[in-house]
Amino acid sequence: MAKVLEVRDLHVSFKTYNGEVQAVRGVSFDVNKGETVAVVGESGCGKSVTSQTIMRLLPSPPSMIKSGEIMFDGKDLTKLDEKQLEKIRGAEIAMIFQDPMTSLNPTMTVGGQITEGLMKHQKMSKEEAKKKAIEMLRLVGIPSPESRISQYPHQFSGGMRQRAMIAIALSCAPKLLIADEPTTALDVTIQAQIIDLMKELQEKVGTSIILITHDLGVVADIADRVVVMYAGKVVESGSLDEVFYQPKHPYTWGLLASMPRLDQSSDQDLQPIPGSPPNLLNPPKGCPFAARCKYAMKICTQEMPETSDVSSTHRVACWLQHPMAPKVEPPAMAVG
Ligand code: SF4
Ligand code: MG
């Protein structure tokens, strides 16, 4: 399958008064054409920092890309200057956020925000762009788009703003859409509509999606592959089925047991993972999950486990994969 994006051994740090926070520590993953890759993990695991680094949205300083590559269309995004990035942002890679107000311009009409990109990136005339903007708003299910395009974001409801943001993001048919918690702030019905909409548009436009979320119900619904992050590292990755139904990493087990899922009845108990992630000002030298892991062995605190292949698509970084390690069965609930 054609690769749209290759993230290779990415390291991103933040300078703080207390020292350097190593937010992303050697993250690698690929995104293929037309697929949805979900990046999951607790807050602070580095998933948003990774996605914002792909878009090069983080100010430097305080953020620093320490090393690694982000290959997109033959270009290493970590090496581009602001002018080159301008051409890619919005046109080839678009992003939608949890809070549409952070990406919508409150002083500009919704239509204007769609036509701006179309005129800039696709060299459309004003008239063509306006026609396309109406079409995009209709596509995302905004009623009477002809009159809506001249309204401002504050005249839209929350769900409508989310749709408008998606319309803006997809208007230039980007190769890659990065969606960071796109439905978290919405009620369940609208959430489902937005997810359906993303799926539909993906089929129509062929866009690849990176979905950053902590909502495993949404992941189950839309993802082809899943990347599990913990303490700035990818601890497990694989197809949706591999990560959801044959998870190998104790953190993934904990995550699956601790998070509400749409496909689970609500009377099942959720079990939060006891403890908290390590301080990334001074990350542990061994497995970052060791302090919270029921299965931790001596070596876990001494050495970082290497990433091993469970299958050609399924990878996991855990000492339990070592041939000498004891055989451990995942708790039943995690794979339910
Ligand atoms: Fe647990 Fe050790 Fe695996 Fe880390 S490497 S998740 S501490 S068993
Ligand atoms: Mg986040």
Side-chain angles (χ1 to χ4, degrees):
M1 229 188 286
K3 276 179 194 156
V4 171
L5 185 84
E6 285 176 73
V7 179
R8 286 287 162 270
D9 202 21
L10 184 68
H11 290 254
V12 183
S13 291
F14 288 88
K15 269 225 156 64
T16 71
Y17 288 112
N18 298 322
E20 200 177 303
V21 176
Q22 300 172 39
V24 172
R25 307 188 294 141
V27 163
S28 299
F29 66 94
D30 296 338
V31 181
N32 296 318
K33 188 173 164 31
E35 78 173 349
T36 298
V37 175
V39 182
V40 301
E42 290 162 297
S43 57
C45 70
K47 56 192 197 298
S48 290
V49 173
T50 300
S51 66
Q52 290 177 24
T53 303
I54 295 169
M55 273 292 255
R56 296 287 307 279
L57 290 175
L58 297 170
S60 168
S63 86
M64 293 170 285
I65 299 173
K66 304 290 280 191
S67 59
E69 285 182 345
I70 303 172
M71 297 306 295
F72 175 77
D73 220 8
K75 294 179 275 270
D76 183 353
L77 298 182
T78 67
K79 302 261 166 9
L80 302 189
D81 61 31
E82 198 48 37
K83 220 174 142 191
Q84 294 167 308
L85 290 166
E86 282 273 297
K87 288 204 188 112
I88 292 178
R89 278 194 210 115
E92 298 184 57
I93 307 180
M95 192 156 182
I96 56 179
F97 299 89
Q98 174 172 353
D99 175 9
M101 285 320 249
T102 58
S103 65
L104 292 176
N105 180 345
T107 68
M108 202 174 173
T109 63
V110 169
Q113 296 180 54
I114 303 180
T115 55
E116 186 187 41
L118 291 169
M119 291 190 297
K120 181 173 149 198
H121 297 301
Q122 315 236 318
K123 312 277 173 261
M124 283 188 185
S125 70
K126 207 168 172 190
E127 273 314 297
E128 288 172 319
K130 192 178 161 192
K131 244 173 97 182
K132 176 82 183 182
I134 292 171
E135 188 192 315
M136 285 310 295
L137 289 181
R138 182 169 294 124
L139 195 62
V140 299
I142 290 184
S144 22
E146 293 84 355
S147 56
R148 284 287 187 170
I149 54 163
S150 47
Q151 291 187 334
Y152 290 87
H154 74 265
Q155 294 171 289
F156 280 52
S157 69
M160 288 289 170
R161 279 201 286 263
Q162 201 80 9
R163 286 161 187 265
M165 181 170 57
I166 294 176
I168 295 168
L170 291 176
S171 58
C172 292
K175 292 193 180 121
L176 179 63
L177 175 71
I178 302 175
D180 192 347
E181 305 279 5
T183 60
T184 306
L186 304 171
D187 75 51
V188 177
T189 324
I190 297 174
Q191 263 187 36
Q193 287 171 4
I194 297 287
I195 294 299
D196 285 346
L197 181 67
M198 282 173 48
K199 279 200 280 199
E200 212 181 294
L201 294 174
Q202 182 174 46
E203 274 162 33
K204 277 195 194 135
V205 184
T207 300
S208 306
I209 299 176
I210 297 178
L211 175 70
I212 315 285
T213 185
H214 63 263
D215 187 332
L216 297 189
V218 171
V219 175
D221 215 15
I222 190 173
D224 300 300
R225 284 193 301 121
V226 182
V227 172
V228 182
M229 283 188 69
Y230 185 78
K233 287 185 168 290
V234 173
V235 295
E236 181 159 12
S237 63
S239 70
L240 177 69
D241 281 356
E242 285 168 335
V243 174
F244 266 43
Y245 300 106
Q246 305 151 53
K248 299 288 183 213
H249 197 285
Y251 177 64
T252 312
W253 298 343
L255 202 63
L256 288 167
S258 71
M259 287 187 174
R261 288 165 60 173
L262 294 178
D263 60 350
Q264 250 169 16
S265 62
S266 54
D267 54 357
Q268 272 173 292
D269 281 344
L270 300 174
Q271 298 159 359
I273 307 170
S276 50
N279 185 346
L280 295 181
L281 269 172
N282 186 16
K285 69 172 194 255
C287 171
F289 192 55
R292 301 169 83 182
C293 181
K294 274 208 285 225
Y295 313 96
M297 302 164 280
K298 197 165 168 225
I299 191 164
C300 299
T301 54
Q302 295 168 338
E303 256 183 77
M304 189 74 79
E306 297 218 334
T307 302
S308 49
D309 293 336
V310 180
S311 77
S312 62
T313 48
H314 191 181
R315 313 196 76 204
V316 59
C318 171
W319 281 115
L320 289 176
Q321 295 304 309
H322 193 277
M324 305 278 282
K327 291 281 158 278
V328 171
E329 284 302 316
M333 175 161 177
V335 287

